[in-house]
Amino acid sequence: MKNGLNAILVDTNILVYVYDPRDRAKQDRAIFVLDQLFDAERAVLSVQCLTEFFIS
């Protein structure tokens, strides 16, 4: 990560939308958002977010 001050915490819902094919528009948007954040090295995932994602 370049600068922790510019980090953006990714919500669990974004991760769920990436893997949920029931709503293609949400899925496409979530993929786009994550791609942009990862390319800019601004995405941050919390342990809580990851736990919620893997339990759901």
Side-chain angles (χ1 to χ4, degrees):
M1 181 185 314
K2 293 179 183 175
N3 183 344
L5 297 176
N6 291 321
I8 296 176
L9 184 62
V10 176
D11 187 69
T12 308
N13 291 332
I14 301 298
L15 299 179
V16 171
Y17 295 153
V18 168
Y19 289 96
D20 185 1
R22 292 178 291 178
D23 188 334
R24 186 61 187 205
K26 281 185 182 179
Q27 186 179 43
D28 290 343
R29 184 66 178 160
I31 291 169
F32 175 79
V33 167
L34 283 182
D35 282 344
Q36 296 296 308
L37 290 175
F38 285 131
D39 288 347
E41 297 182 15
R42 294 184 68 194
V44 176
L45 296 171
S46 69
V47 172
Q48 178 181 345
C49 174
L50 292 172
T51 302
E52 291 172 354
F53 175 69
F54 283 108
I55 289 174
S56 61

